[in-house]
Amino acid sequence: MIETKRLYLRELSIEDLDDLSEILMDSETMQYYPQPFSKEKVKGWIQWNMESYHHHGHGLWGGCT
């Protein structure tokens, strides 16, 4: 985890599924992707990042303010 006065970044977890689904399933947000993600694809994407943390020591981060 990385933390500053206004932001903290952390590894993604399966508990992020509902929040990330709202973003990644939205057609406007995903307008430059071939198509918005399905709920299953969001879940797979989170799991892919979790595996990357374990196998490679890095992956994409989640954050909040």
Side-chain angles (χ1 to χ4, degrees):
M1 178 173 41
I2 299 171
E3 189 170 351
T4 70
K5 289 181 183 181
R6 299 187 322 205
L7 174 72
Y8 91 100
L9 299 173
R10 60 172 177 73
E11 293 180 353
L12 297 171
S13 71
I14 203 65
E15 286 79 30
D16 295 310
L17 180 62
D18 289 337
D19 291 332
L20 281 174
S21 291
E22 284 188 44
I23 297 166
L24 298 176
M25 293 174 65
D26 179 72
S27 59
E28 185 175 351
T29 302
M30 300 297 284
Q31 66 182 323
Y32 298 108
Y33 280 74
Q35 62 191 27
F37 284 19
S38 66
K39 189 103 173 196
E40 263 317 294
K41 187 163 183 170
V42 175
K43 184 177 181 181
W45 185 78
I46 292 170
Q47 290 171 331
W48 173 77
N49 276 286
M50 292 169 59
E51 290 171 12
S52 184
Y53 305 141
H54 179 73
H55 294 295
H56 306 291
H58 60 82
L60 299 175
W61 294 75
C64 49
T65 57

